[in-house]
Amino acid sequence: FDDAMTANGDVITIKMDYSYIVPKVGSDRTGHLTTKNGEIYAIAQWYPKMCVYDDVTGWNTLPYWGAGEFYCEFGDINYSVTVPSSHIVMGSGALLNPKEVFTTTQQQRWAQAANSDATVQIRTVAEVTDPASRPSGKPTLTWKFRIENARDVAWSSSKAFVLDAARINLPSGKKSLAVSAHPVESAGRDSYGRGVEYVKASIEHYSKKWTEYPYPMAVNVATNIGGMEYPGIVFCGWTAKNGSAWGVIDHEFGHTWYPMIVGSNERKYGWMDEGFNTFINTLSSAEFNNGEYKEGVTNMHNIGARVIGNPAFENIMLIPDGMKEQNIGVNLYSKTGWGLHLLRDQILGADRFDYAFREYTKQWSFKHPTPFDFFRSMDNAAGEDLSWFWKSWFVNNWKMDQGITDVKPVLTNGVVTRTDITVANLERMPMPIILEVKTKSGRTDMIKVPVDVWMRNTSWAVRYMGSEEVISVTLDPQKVLPDANATNNT
Protein backbone atom coordinates (compact mmCIF):
# COMPACT_ATOMS: atom_id res chain seq x y z
CA PHE A 1 0.00 0.00 0.00
CA ASP A 2 1.28 3.45 -0.84
CA ASP A 3 -0.47 5.18 2.05
CA ALA A 4 -1.18 3.98 5.58
CA MET A 5 -4.81 3.67 6.63
CA THR A 6 -6.17 6.48 8.74
CA ALA A 7 -8.56 6.40 11.68
CA ASN A 8 -12.31 7.00 11.62
CA GLY A 9 -13.50 4.77 8.83
CA ASP A 10 -10.77 4.54 6.21
CA VAL A 11 -11.27 1.59 3.85
CA ILE A 12 -8.87 -0.56 1.87
CA THR A 13 -10.07 -2.97 -0.81
CA ILE A 14 -7.99 -6.12 -1.31
CA LYS A 15 -8.50 -8.21 -4.42
CA MET A 16 -6.70 -11.43 -5.27
CA ASP A 17 -6.99 -14.43 -7.55
CA TYR A 18 -6.38 -17.85 -6.05
CA SER A 19 -7.33 -21.48 -6.56
CA TYR A 20 -6.80 -24.85 -4.92
CA ILE A 21 -7.80 -28.49 -5.30
CA VAL A 22 -10.53 -29.55 -2.86
CA PRO A 23 -9.13 -32.49 -0.87
CA LYS A 24 -11.15 -35.66 -0.47
CA VAL A 25 -10.39 -35.56 3.25
CA GLY A 26 -9.37 -32.14 4.54
CA SER A 27 -8.34 -32.62 8.19
CA ASP A 28 -12.02 -33.18 9.07
CA ARG A 29 -12.70 -29.50 8.26
CA THR A 30 -13.54 -29.72 4.55
CA GLY A 31 -13.68 -32.37 1.83
CA HIS A 32 -15.99 -34.27 -0.48
CA LEU A 33 -17.98 -37.49 -0.26
CA THR A 34 -18.88 -39.90 -3.05
CA THR A 35 -22.51 -41.08 -2.85
CA LYS A 36 -24.52 -43.18 -5.28
CA ASN A 37 -26.14 -40.04 -6.70
CA GLY A 38 -23.05 -37.84 -6.87
CA GLU A 39 -20.38 -36.00 -4.90
CA ILE A 40 -21.14 -33.88 -1.85
CA TYR A 41 -18.67 -31.01 -1.63
CA ALA A 42 -18.26 -29.45 1.82
CA ILE A 43 -16.21 -26.30 1.29
CA ALA A 44 -14.56 -24.51 4.20
CA GLN A 45 -11.30 -22.70 4.96
CA TRP A 46 -11.53 -21.71 1.32
CA TYR A 47 -10.42 -18.07 1.20
CA PRO A 48 -7.67 -15.95 2.80
CA LYS A 49 -8.64 -14.31 6.10
CA MET A 50 -7.13 -11.47 8.09
CA CYS A 51 -5.47 -12.26 11.41
CA VAL A 52 -7.24 -10.94 14.49
CA TYR A 53 -5.80 -7.78 16.01
CA ASP A 54 -6.87 -7.67 19.67
CA ASP A 55 -6.02 -5.58 22.73
CA VAL A 56 -4.16 -8.43 24.44
CA THR A 57 -1.65 -9.69 21.88
CA GLY A 58 -1.94 -7.29 18.96
CA TRP A 59 -1.73 -9.28 15.73
CA ASN A 60 -2.48 -12.95 16.39
CA THR A 61 -0.28 -14.84 13.95
CA LEU A 62 -0.12 -18.34 15.48
CA PRO A 63 -0.29 -20.74 12.52
CA TYR A 64 -2.85 -23.50 12.11
CA TRP A 65 -1.21 -26.77 13.12
CA GLY A 66 -4.32 -28.87 13.59
CA ALA A 67 -5.07 -29.25 17.30
CA GLY A 68 -5.68 -25.56 18.00
CA GLU A 69 -8.48 -24.47 15.74
CA PHE A 70 -9.30 -20.90 14.74
CA TYR A 71 -9.36 -17.29 15.92
CA CYS A 72 -11.36 -15.05 13.62
CA GLU A 73 -12.65 -11.50 13.42
CA PHE A 74 -16.30 -10.63 12.85
CA GLY A 75 -17.69 -9.04 9.71
CA ASP A 76 -20.47 -8.96 7.12
CA ILE A 77 -19.90 -11.30 4.19
CA ASN A 78 -21.52 -11.50 0.77
CA TYR A 79 -20.56 -14.42 -1.44
CA SER A 80 -21.77 -16.14 -4.58
CA VAL A 81 -21.28 -19.75 -5.67
CA THR A 82 -21.64 -20.76 -9.32
CA VAL A 83 -22.16 -24.50 -9.84
CA PRO A 84 -23.80 -26.85 -12.35
CA SER A 85 -27.56 -26.31 -12.41
CA SER A 86 -28.09 -29.91 -11.25
CA HIS A 87 -26.57 -28.96 -7.88
CA ILE A 88 -28.19 -27.56 -4.76
CA VAL A 89 -26.04 -25.24 -2.63
CA MET A 90 -26.54 -24.51 1.05
CA GLY A 91 -24.28 -22.10 2.92
CA SER A 92 -23.75 -19.68 5.77
CA GLY A 93 -26.33 -16.90 5.97
CA ALA A 94 -29.48 -16.05 4.05
CA LEU A 95 -30.13 -17.44 0.59
CA LEU A 96 -30.81 -14.23 -1.32
CA ASN A 97 -32.12 -15.56 -4.63
CA PRO A 98 -34.28 -18.69 -4.12
CA LYS A 99 -36.40 -17.81 -7.16
CA GLU A 100 -33.34 -18.05 -9.39
CA VAL A 101 -32.07 -21.42 -8.12
CA PHE A 102 -35.15 -23.46 -7.13
CA THR A 103 -37.93 -24.88 -9.26
CA THR A 104 -41.38 -23.33 -8.85
CA THR A 105 -42.43 -26.22 -6.61
CA GLN A 106 -39.30 -25.89 -4.48
CA GLN A 107 -39.86 -22.14 -4.12
CA GLN A 108 -43.35 -22.84 -2.77
CA ARG A 109 -42.04 -25.46 -0.35
CA TRP A 110 -39.20 -23.16 0.76
CA ALA A 111 -41.72 -20.43 1.58
CA GLN A 112 -43.95 -22.97 3.34
CA ALA A 113 -41.05 -24.18 5.50
CA ALA A 114 -40.40 -20.64 6.73
CA ASN A 115 -43.83 -20.75 8.40
CA SER A 116 -43.93 -24.39 9.49
CA ASP A 117 -42.86 -25.98 12.77
CA ALA A 118 -43.08 -29.38 11.09
CA THR A 119 -40.43 -30.50 8.61
CA VAL A 120 -41.19 -29.60 5.00
CA GLN A 121 -39.52 -31.65 2.27
CA ILE A 122 -38.08 -29.23 -0.26
CA ARG A 123 -36.60 -32.03 -2.36
CA THR A 124 -37.67 -35.58 -1.55
CA VAL A 125 -35.74 -38.83 -1.79
CA ALA A 126 -37.72 -39.78 -4.90
CA GLU A 127 -36.95 -36.44 -6.57
CA VAL A 128 -33.16 -36.62 -6.20
CA THR A 129 -32.80 -38.62 -9.42
CA ASP A 130 -35.56 -36.72 -11.25
CA PRO A 131 -34.10 -34.07 -13.62
CA ALA A 132 -37.31 -32.07 -13.18
CA SER A 133 -36.29 -31.37 -9.58
CA ARG A 134 -33.78 -28.81 -10.85
CA PRO A 135 -34.36 -25.75 -13.08
CA SER A 136 -33.69 -26.39 -16.76
CA GLY A 137 -32.31 -24.21 -19.50
CA LYS A 138 -28.98 -23.12 -18.00
CA PRO A 139 -25.79 -25.14 -17.55
CA THR A 140 -24.91 -23.30 -14.33
CA LEU A 141 -26.68 -21.35 -11.60
CA THR A 142 -25.29 -18.80 -9.17
CA TRP A 143 -26.39 -19.05 -5.53
CA LYS A 144 -26.10 -15.82 -3.55
CA PHE A 145 -25.73 -15.58 0.23
CA ARG A 146 -25.22 -12.90 2.87
CA ILE A 147 -24.39 -13.22 6.55
CA GLU A 148 -23.79 -10.44 9.07
CA ASN A 149 -21.62 -10.32 12.17
CA ALA A 150 -20.02 -13.66 11.37
CA ARG A 151 -16.45 -14.84 11.68
CA ASP A 152 -16.42 -17.07 8.60
CA VAL A 153 -18.56 -18.66 5.89
CA ALA A 154 -18.74 -22.19 4.52
CA TRP A 155 -20.97 -23.90 1.98
CA SER A 156 -21.83 -27.24 0.44
CA SER A 157 -22.86 -28.22 -3.08
CA SER A 158 -24.23 -31.46 -4.53
CA LYS A 159 -26.70 -32.91 -7.01
CA ALA A 160 -27.30 -35.70 -4.47
CA PHE A 161 -29.05 -33.64 -1.79
CA VAL A 162 -32.33 -34.46 -0.18
CA LEU A 163 -33.40 -31.09 1.27
CA ASP A 164 -35.66 -30.52 4.29
CA ALA A 165 -36.49 -27.35 6.22
CA ALA A 166 -38.66 -25.88 8.99
CA ARG A 167 -39.09 -22.67 10.97
CA ILE A 168 -36.99 -21.88 14.05
CA ASN A 169 -38.80 -19.79 16.68
CA LEU A 170 -36.53 -17.38 18.56
CA PRO A 171 -37.27 -15.76 21.95
CA SER A 172 -37.56 -12.24 20.50
CA GLY A 173 -40.24 -13.34 18.06
CA LYS A 174 -37.81 -13.42 15.15
CA LYS A 175 -37.57 -16.51 12.97
CA SER A 176 -34.73 -18.49 11.45
CA LEU A 177 -34.76 -21.54 9.19
CA ALA A 178 -33.58 -25.05 10.10
CA VAL A 179 -32.29 -26.97 7.08
CA SER A 180 -30.90 -30.45 6.53
CA ALA A 181 -29.11 -31.38 3.30
CA HIS A 182 -28.14 -35.04 3.07
CA PRO A 183 -27.83 -37.93 0.61
CA VAL A 184 -30.57 -40.53 0.24
CA GLU A 185 -28.33 -42.97 2.12
CA SER A 186 -28.78 -40.79 5.23
CA ALA A 187 -32.47 -39.99 4.84
CA GLY A 188 -34.01 -42.55 7.20
CA ARG A 189 -35.82 -41.62 10.41
CA ASP A 190 -32.96 -43.27 12.28
CA SER A 191 -30.55 -40.77 10.72
CA TYR A 192 -30.84 -37.34 9.08
CA GLY A 193 -34.49 -37.81 8.22
CA ARG A 194 -34.84 -36.19 11.65
CA GLY A 195 -32.10 -33.67 10.89
CA VAL A 196 -34.38 -30.62 10.76
CA GLU A 197 -36.04 -31.68 14.02
CA TYR A 198 -32.62 -31.90 15.66
CA VAL A 199 -31.39 -28.56 14.26
CA LYS A 200 -34.57 -26.75 15.28
CA ALA A 201 -34.57 -28.16 18.82
CA SER A 202 -30.89 -27.39 19.36
CA ILE A 203 -31.08 -23.79 18.15
CA GLU A 204 -34.28 -23.05 20.05
CA HIS A 205 -32.87 -24.49 23.29
CA TYR A 206 -29.61 -22.52 23.23
CA SER A 207 -31.39 -19.34 22.15
CA LYS A 208 -33.71 -19.58 25.13
CA LYS A 209 -30.98 -20.65 27.55
CA TRP A 210 -28.04 -18.38 26.71
CA THR A 211 -28.58 -15.76 24.01
CA GLU A 212 -30.49 -15.61 20.76
CA TYR A 213 -29.25 -17.27 17.59
CA PRO A 214 -28.16 -14.43 15.27
CA TYR A 215 -28.27 -15.97 11.79
CA PRO A 216 -31.11 -16.39 9.25
CA MET A 217 -30.46 -20.09 8.56
CA ALA A 218 -29.04 -23.09 10.40
CA VAL A 219 -27.96 -25.75 7.91
CA ASN A 220 -26.86 -29.30 8.65
CA VAL A 221 -24.96 -31.07 5.86
CA ALA A 222 -24.37 -34.82 6.07
CA THR A 223 -21.01 -35.59 4.51
CA ASN A 224 -17.67 -37.29 5.16
CA ILE A 225 -16.64 -34.81 7.86
CA GLY A 226 -17.19 -36.25 11.32
CA GLY A 227 -18.29 -32.94 12.79
CA MET A 228 -17.27 -29.35 12.06
CA GLU A 229 -18.90 -26.03 12.77
CA TYR A 230 -19.13 -22.77 10.85
CA PRO A 231 -21.50 -19.80 11.24
CA GLY A 232 -24.94 -20.89 10.11
CA ILE A 233 -23.80 -24.28 8.78
CA VAL A 234 -22.33 -27.50 10.17
CA PHE A 235 -20.84 -30.58 8.52
CA CYS A 236 -21.73 -33.89 10.21
CA GLY A 237 -20.84 -37.52 9.59
CA TRP A 238 -23.26 -38.99 7.06
CA THR A 239 -23.44 -42.44 8.72
CA ALA A 240 -24.51 -41.16 12.17
CA LYS A 241 -27.66 -42.74 13.58
CA ASN A 242 -30.17 -41.86 16.30
CA GLY A 243 -28.38 -40.46 19.37
CA SER A 244 -25.15 -40.03 17.45
CA ALA A 245 -26.93 -37.96 14.78
CA TRP A 246 -28.56 -35.80 17.45
CA GLY A 247 -25.28 -35.53 19.33
CA VAL A 248 -23.15 -34.36 16.42
CA ILE A 249 -25.75 -31.84 15.20
CA ASP A 250 -26.30 -30.50 18.71
CA HIS A 251 -22.58 -30.28 19.43
CA GLU A 252 -21.66 -28.54 16.21
CA PHE A 253 -24.51 -26.03 16.47
CA GLY A 254 -23.63 -25.46 20.12
CA HIS A 255 -20.42 -24.00 18.75
CA THR A 256 -22.48 -21.14 17.36
CA TRP A 257 -22.40 -19.76 20.90
CA TYR A 258 -18.82 -20.75 21.72
CA PRO A 259 -16.72 -19.60 19.83
CA MET A 260 -18.82 -18.06 17.04
CA ILE A 261 -20.82 -15.59 19.13
CA VAL A 262 -18.40 -15.43 22.07
CA GLY A 263 -15.22 -15.18 20.01
CA SER A 264 -12.55 -16.81 22.18
CA ASN A 265 -9.13 -17.74 20.84
CA GLU A 266 -9.27 -21.43 19.92
CA ARG A 267 -5.59 -21.38 18.97
CA LYS A 268 -4.68 -20.84 22.63
CA TYR A 269 -7.69 -21.79 24.75
CA GLY A 270 -9.53 -24.65 23.10
CA TRP A 271 -11.36 -25.45 26.34
CA MET A 272 -13.23 -22.12 26.12
CA ASP A 273 -15.22 -23.43 23.18
CA GLU A 274 -14.99 -27.23 23.20
CA GLY A 275 -15.43 -27.52 26.95
CA PHE A 276 -18.17 -24.91 27.22
CA ASN A 277 -19.95 -26.62 24.35
CA THR A 278 -19.55 -30.07 25.90
CA PHE A 279 -21.20 -28.68 29.03
CA ILE A 280 -24.17 -27.00 27.32
CA ASN A 281 -24.73 -30.12 25.19
CA THR A 282 -25.59 -32.13 28.30
CA LEU A 283 -28.32 -29.64 29.20
CA SER A 284 -29.82 -29.61 25.71
CA SER A 285 -29.74 -33.42 25.50
CA ALA A 286 -31.54 -33.67 28.83
CA GLU A 287 -34.31 -31.41 27.50
CA PHE A 288 -34.67 -32.72 23.95
CA ASN A 289 -37.84 -34.76 23.42
CA ASN A 290 -38.28 -35.39 27.16
CA GLY A 291 -34.76 -36.74 27.54
CA GLU A 292 -34.71 -39.09 24.54
CA TYR A 293 -30.92 -38.84 24.40
CA LYS A 294 -30.22 -37.75 27.98
CA GLU A 295 -26.71 -38.62 29.11
CA GLY A 296 -26.03 -40.87 32.09
CA VAL A 297 -24.76 -39.70 35.48
CA THR A 298 -20.98 -39.37 35.76
CA ASN A 299 -19.22 -41.08 38.67
CA MET A 300 -16.90 -38.27 39.70
CA HIS A 301 -14.99 -40.48 42.14
CA ASN A 302 -13.74 -42.46 39.15
CA ILE A 303 -12.83 -39.23 37.38
CA GLY A 304 -11.04 -37.94 40.47
CA ALA A 305 -9.06 -41.13 40.91
CA ARG A 306 -8.07 -41.43 37.27
CA VAL A 307 -7.87 -37.94 35.76
CA ILE A 308 -8.12 -34.90 38.03
CA GLY A 309 -4.72 -33.92 39.37
CA ASN A 310 -2.99 -36.63 37.37
CA PRO A 311 0.13 -34.99 35.88
CA ALA A 312 -0.04 -37.33 32.89
CA PHE A 313 -3.02 -35.31 31.65
CA GLU A 314 -1.09 -32.02 31.71
CA ASN A 315 -2.48 -28.57 32.38
CA ILE A 316 -5.71 -27.41 30.78
CA MET A 317 -4.18 -23.98 30.07
CA LEU A 318 -1.58 -25.36 27.67
CA ILE A 319 -2.22 -24.36 24.08
CA PRO A 320 -3.81 -27.32 22.26
CA ASP A 321 -0.84 -27.78 19.95
CA GLY A 322 1.39 -28.03 23.03
CA MET A 323 -0.58 -30.91 24.55
CA LYS A 324 -0.03 -34.58 23.97
CA GLU A 325 -2.59 -35.57 21.39
CA GLN A 326 -4.21 -38.18 23.64
CA ASN A 327 -4.89 -35.50 26.29
CA ILE A 328 -6.80 -33.10 24.06
CA GLY A 329 -10.14 -34.87 24.45
CA VAL A 330 -9.90 -34.89 28.24
CA ASN A 331 -8.57 -31.38 28.75
CA LEU A 332 -10.43 -29.39 26.12
CA TYR A 333 -13.75 -31.23 26.25
CA SER A 334 -14.33 -33.43 29.29
CA LYS A 335 -12.50 -31.71 32.14
CA THR A 336 -14.04 -28.34 31.34
CA GLY A 337 -17.49 -29.92 31.09
CA TRP A 338 -17.06 -31.73 34.42
CA GLY A 339 -15.84 -28.53 36.05
CA LEU A 340 -18.77 -26.43 34.89
CA HIS A 341 -21.19 -29.10 36.10
CA LEU A 342 -19.48 -29.05 39.50
CA LEU A 343 -19.83 -25.30 39.63
CA ARG A 344 -23.48 -25.42 38.58
CA ASP A 345 -24.69 -28.44 40.51
CA GLN A 346 -22.60 -28.43 43.70
CA ILE A 347 -21.30 -24.90 44.29
CA LEU A 348 -23.49 -22.12 42.85
CA GLY A 349 -26.73 -23.92 42.10
CA ALA A 350 -28.45 -23.95 38.71
CA ASP A 351 -30.14 -20.54 38.98
CA ARG A 352 -27.03 -18.57 39.94
CA PHE A 353 -24.78 -20.43 37.55
CA ASP A 354 -27.15 -20.08 34.59
CA TYR A 355 -27.56 -16.37 35.24
CA ALA A 356 -23.79 -15.87 35.45
CA PHE A 357 -23.05 -17.95 32.35
CA ARG A 358 -25.77 -16.11 30.44
CA GLU A 359 -24.30 -12.76 31.51
CA TYR A 360 -20.83 -13.85 30.37
CA THR A 361 -22.29 -14.88 27.02
CA LYS A 362 -24.12 -11.59 26.55
CA GLN A 363 -21.26 -9.38 27.75
CA TRP A 364 -18.74 -11.04 25.44
CA SER A 365 -20.92 -11.58 22.37
CA PHE A 366 -18.95 -10.69 19.22
CA LYS A 367 -15.89 -9.87 21.32
CA HIS A 368 -12.70 -11.73 22.23
CA PRO A 369 -12.54 -12.84 25.90
CA THR A 370 -9.52 -14.42 27.55
CA PRO A 371 -9.85 -17.04 30.31
CA PHE A 372 -9.50 -14.34 32.94
CA ASP A 373 -12.31 -12.33 31.38
CA PHE A 374 -14.46 -15.44 31.78
CA PHE A 375 -13.39 -15.92 35.41
CA ARG A 376 -14.09 -12.29 36.33
CA SER A 377 -17.40 -12.22 34.50
CA MET A 378 -18.61 -15.33 36.32
CA ASP A 379 -17.45 -13.98 39.70
CA ASN A 380 -19.22 -10.67 39.16
CA ALA A 381 -22.51 -12.13 37.95
CA ALA A 382 -22.59 -14.90 40.56
CA GLY A 383 -21.73 -12.43 43.31
CA GLU A 384 -19.01 -14.66 44.69
CA ASP A 385 -15.23 -14.90 44.61
CA LEU A 386 -14.60 -18.20 42.83
CA SER A 387 -10.85 -17.75 42.48
CA TRP A 388 -10.25 -20.93 44.51
CA PHE A 389 -12.16 -22.90 41.88
CA TRP A 390 -10.52 -21.32 38.83
CA LYS A 391 -7.12 -21.77 40.45
CA SER A 392 -7.73 -25.44 41.30
CA TRP A 393 -9.44 -26.62 38.13
CA PHE A 394 -8.18 -24.45 35.28
CA VAL A 395 -5.01 -22.56 36.21
CA ASN A 396 -3.52 -25.56 38.02
CA ASN A 397 -4.03 -29.30 37.80
CA TRP A 398 -4.76 -29.98 41.45
CA LYS A 399 -6.18 -33.09 43.10
CA MET A 400 -9.05 -33.40 45.59
CA ASP A 401 -9.16 -35.81 48.54
CA GLN A 402 -11.36 -35.41 51.58
CA GLY A 403 -11.34 -38.00 54.34
CA ILE A 404 -13.16 -38.68 57.60
CA THR A 405 -10.60 -38.77 60.41
CA ASP A 406 -12.85 -38.98 63.49
CA VAL A 407 -16.47 -39.52 64.56
CA LYS A 408 -17.00 -38.71 68.23
CA PRO A 409 -20.13 -38.35 70.39
CA VAL A 410 -20.12 -35.22 72.57
CA LEU A 411 -21.70 -35.43 76.03
CA THR A 412 -23.27 -32.63 78.05
CA ASN A 413 -24.01 -33.54 81.67
CA GLY A 414 -23.49 -37.17 80.79
CA VAL A 415 -25.95 -37.12 77.88
CA VAL A 416 -25.05 -37.25 74.16
CA THR A 417 -26.10 -33.95 72.59
CA ARG A 418 -24.26 -34.12 69.30
CA THR A 419 -21.74 -36.06 67.23
CA ASP A 420 -18.64 -34.32 65.88
CA ILE A 421 -17.50 -35.60 62.49
CA THR A 422 -14.00 -34.45 61.58
CA VAL A 423 -13.21 -34.12 57.89
CA ALA A 424 -9.71 -33.45 56.56
CA ASN A 425 -8.80 -31.82 53.25
CA LEU A 426 -5.83 -33.96 52.27
CA GLU A 427 -4.96 -32.46 48.87
CA ARG A 428 -4.72 -28.96 47.42
CA MET A 429 -8.15 -28.69 45.77
CA PRO A 430 -10.92 -27.52 48.13
CA MET A 431 -14.54 -28.55 47.61
CA PRO A 432 -17.72 -28.38 49.70
CA ILE A 433 -18.22 -31.12 52.29
CA ILE A 434 -21.15 -33.43 51.55
CA LEU A 435 -21.98 -35.85 54.38
CA GLU A 436 -24.58 -38.57 54.72
CA VAL A 437 -25.32 -39.42 58.36
CA LYS A 438 -27.36 -42.47 59.38
CA THR A 439 -28.63 -43.11 62.90
CA LYS A 440 -29.69 -46.24 64.76
CA SER A 441 -33.39 -45.41 64.34
CA GLY A 442 -33.06 -45.50 60.55
CA ARG A 443 -32.95 -41.76 60.02
CA THR A 444 -30.74 -40.41 57.20
CA ASP A 445 -29.60 -36.79 57.00
CA MET A 446 -27.59 -35.02 54.31
CA ILE A 447 -25.31 -32.21 55.43
CA LYS A 448 -23.57 -29.82 53.05
CA VAL A 449 -20.85 -27.49 54.30
CA PRO A 450 -19.67 -24.68 51.98
CA VAL A 451 -16.14 -24.59 50.66
CA ASP A 452 -15.34 -21.49 52.75
CA VAL A 453 -14.35 -23.67 55.73
CA TRP A 454 -11.11 -24.55 53.91
CA MET A 455 -10.04 -20.92 53.61
CA ARG A 456 -7.58 -21.32 56.49
CA ASN A 457 -8.18 -24.87 57.69
CA THR A 458 -7.16 -28.34 56.57
CA SER A 459 -9.47 -30.03 59.08
CA TRP A 460 -13.07 -29.22 60.01
CA ALA A 461 -15.44 -30.65 62.62
CA VAL A 462 -19.02 -30.93 61.39
CA ARG A 463 -21.48 -30.90 64.28
CA TYR A 464 -24.39 -33.31 63.93
CA MET A 465 -26.88 -32.25 66.58
CA GLY A 466 -29.00 -34.80 68.44
CA SER A 467 -28.81 -37.61 70.94
CA GLU A 468 -29.30 -40.50 68.54
CA GLU A 469 -26.50 -42.98 68.04
CA VAL A 470 -24.77 -42.47 64.71
CA ILE A 471 -24.14 -45.79 62.99
CA SER A 472 -22.55 -44.60 59.72
CA VAL A 473 -21.08 -41.49 58.14
CA THR A 474 -20.22 -41.27 54.43
CA LEU A 475 -18.56 -38.49 52.49
CA ASP A 476 -20.14 -37.71 49.12
CA PRO A 477 -22.26 -40.87 48.83
CA GLN A 478 -23.62 -39.89 45.40
CA LYS A 479 -20.09 -39.51 44.01
CA VAL A 480 -20.62 -35.98 42.68
CA LEU A 481 -17.20 -34.60 43.72
CA PRO A 482 -13.86 -35.62 42.13
CA ASP A 483 -12.54 -37.31 45.26
CA ALA A 484 -9.36 -39.17 44.34
CA ASN A 485 -9.48 -41.61 47.25
CA ALA A 486 -12.86 -42.99 48.31
CA THR A 487 -11.36 -45.43 50.80
CA ASN A 488 -11.27 -42.74 53.51
CA ASN A 489 -14.83 -41.52 52.91
CA THR A 490 -16.41 -43.60 55.69
Side-chain angles (χ1 to χ4, degrees):
F1 302 106
D2 295 330
D3 300 307
M5 293 184 72
T6 59
N8 301 316
D10 198 3
V11 174
I12 283 180
T13 300
I14 300 172
K15 185 177 181 180
M16 65 178 71
D17 295 325
Y18 63 94
S19 64
Y20 69 97
I21 297 172
V22 178
K24 182 80 174 178
V25 179
S27 299
D28 215 34
R29 314 290 187 204
T30 184
H32 59 99
L33 169 70
T34 302
T35 76
K36 67 180 181 180
N37 292 313
E39 293 293 304
I40 295 177
Y41 295 91
I43 307 300
Q45 313 301 338
W46 57 285
Y47 61 95
K49 290 194 284 285
M50 291 285 289
C51 294
V52 172
Y53 185 90
D54 63 26
D55 59 358
V56 177
T57 304
W59 288 109
N60 285 262
T61 58
L62 278 177
Y64 173 72
W65 288 334
E69 292 186 84
F70 307 104
Y71 188 31
C72 306
E73 198 51 270
F74 299 99
D76 302 337
I77 303 173
N78 296 283
Y79 64 104
S80 300
V81 181
T82 300
V83 296
S85 58
S86 60
H87 278 224
I88 287 176
V89 178
M90 287 289 111
S92 301
L95 174 61
L96 301 179
N97 61 333
K99 292 182 179 180
E100 297 175 11
V101 294
F102 283 142
T103 66
T104 301
T105 298
Q106 288 166 354
Q107 292 172 40
Q108 294 169 350
R109 293 171 180 173
W110 189 254
Q112 179 189 351
N115 295 292
S116 173
D117 288 322
T119 298
V120 175
Q121 294 182 303
I122 312 300
R123 192 196 201 196
T124 68
V125 169
E127 291 169 343
V128 168
T129 55
D130 182 358
S133 71
R134 298 300 303 126
S136 60
K138 294 182 179 180
T140 64
L141 292 171
T142 298
W143 298 67
K144 299 175 182 179
F145 298 88
R146 175 175 172 80
I147 192 167
E148 298 177 357
N149 224 0
R151 69 180 213 155
D152 200 357
V153 292
W155 51 275
S156 184
S157 178
S158 181
K159 67 178 183 179
F161 278 149
V162 176
L163 194 66
D164 299 332
R167 175 178 64 192
I168 296 171
N169 302 299
L170 300 174
S172 68
K174 293 180 180 179
K175 309 299 178 185
S176 184
L177 191 68
V179 180
S180 184
H182 48 267
V184 296
E185 294 94 323
S186 306
R189 287 285 297 170
D190 63 345
S191 187
Y192 292 104
R194 294 181 70 185
V196 166
E197 177 191 355
Y198 295 160
V199 173
K200 174 180 168 66
S202 182
I203 298 293
E204 289 180 349
H205 170 85
Y206 295 131
S207 294
K208 177 180 65 176
K209 191 74 175 173
W210 309 120
T211 196
E212 188 164 290
Y213 183 74
Y215 303 124
M217 285 205 302
V219 181
N220 166 66
V221 176
T223 183
N224 64 333
I225 296 164
M228 188 60 204
E229 70 280 359
Y230 297 98
I233 188 170
V234 300
F235 301 148
C236 297
W238 68 295
T239 60
K241 303 283 187 182
N242 299 313
S244 294
W246 156 259
V248 68
I249 286 176
D250 185 52
H251 180 81
E252 302 313 331
F253 271 118
H255 276 304
T256 301
W257 283 262
Y258 317 99
M260 282 184 261
I261 293 176
V262 180
S264 59
N265 186 344
E266 296 178 273
R267 285 280 206 273
K268 291 184 176 180
Y269 312 114
W271 59 271
M272 290 184 72
D273 70 289
E274 295 297 357
F276 289 5
N277 196 24
T278 298
F279 164 72
I280 66 172
N281 295 159
T282 63
L283 303 182
S284 60
S285 293
E287 181 178 280
F288 173 70
N289 200 23
N290 298 313
E292 180 179 357
Y293 301 126
K294 183 178 180 179
E295 298 180 16
V297 176
T298 300
N299 182 333
M300 288 302 293
H301 285 189
N302 289 344
I303 301 302
R306 184 174 60 87
V307 177
I308 307 303
N310 183 344
F313 285 98
E314 303 174 300
N315 192 307
I316 200 172
M317 283 287 204
L318 283 175
I319 66 169
D321 289 304
M323 289 181 190
K324 296 175 183 176
E325 187 172 356
Q326 65 266 28
N327 290 343
I328 288 173
V330 170
N331 281 339
L332 302 193
Y333 295 73
S334 302
K335 186 176 180 182
T336 303
W338 296 326
L340 295 182
H341 270 294
L342 272 174
L343 196 56
R344 184 179 194 260
D345 301 337
Q346 306 305 325
I347 297 163
L348 292 178
D351 289 345
R352 286 175 69 202
F353 177 93
D354 289 357
Y355 172 78
F357 204 64
R358 191 158 44 243
E359 285 300 297
Y360 162 72
T361 303
K362 291 178 179 178
Q363 290 167 8
W364 287 97
S365 290
F366 308 108
K367 299 175 184 177
H368 300 303
T370 68
F372 295 96
D373 294 317
F374 168 64
F375 300 156
R376 285 188 289 266
S377 179
M378 290 293 290
D379 285 2
N380 291 339
E384 184 171 334
D385 182 357
L386 297 166
S387 56
W388 63 271
F389 181 78
W390 312 127
K391 189 175 182 180
S392 299
W393 199 267
F394 291 97
V395 178
N396 296 291
N397 184 25
W398 286 350
K399 182 178 290 188
M400 177 207 166
D401 181 20
Q402 292 178 4
I404 296 172
T405 59
D406 192 28
V407 179
K408 182 173 65 177
V410 176
L411 282 69
T412 302
N413 298 323
V415 178
V416 174
T417 56
R418 72 172 194 265
T419 301
D420 284 356
I421 305 158
T422 303
V423 179
N425 192 40
L426 302 169
E427 288 285 351
R428 300 194 70 180
M429 180 188 291
M431 278 289 160
I433 299 170
I434 302 173
L435 278 173
E436 178 189 76
V437 181
K438 293 184 177 181
T439 66
K440 191 173 183 179
S441 69
R443 176 176 173 175
T444 300
D445 286 318
M446 296 297 298
I447 302 170
K448 192 166 186 177
V449 180
V451 73
D452 308 66
V453 298
W454 303 124
M455 188 176 295
R456 57 180 183 180
N457 304 290
T458 57
S459 182
W460 187 260
V462 179
R463 294 182 173 184
Y464 179 72
M465 305 305 295
S467 59
E468 282 199 71
E469 180 183 348
V470 172
I471 61 170
S472 74
V473 179
T474 306
L475 271 171
D476 188 21
Q478 295 178 326
K479 302 178 176 61
V480 296
L481 300 177
D483 197 321
N485 178 18
T487 63
N488 56 16
N489 283 12
T490 56

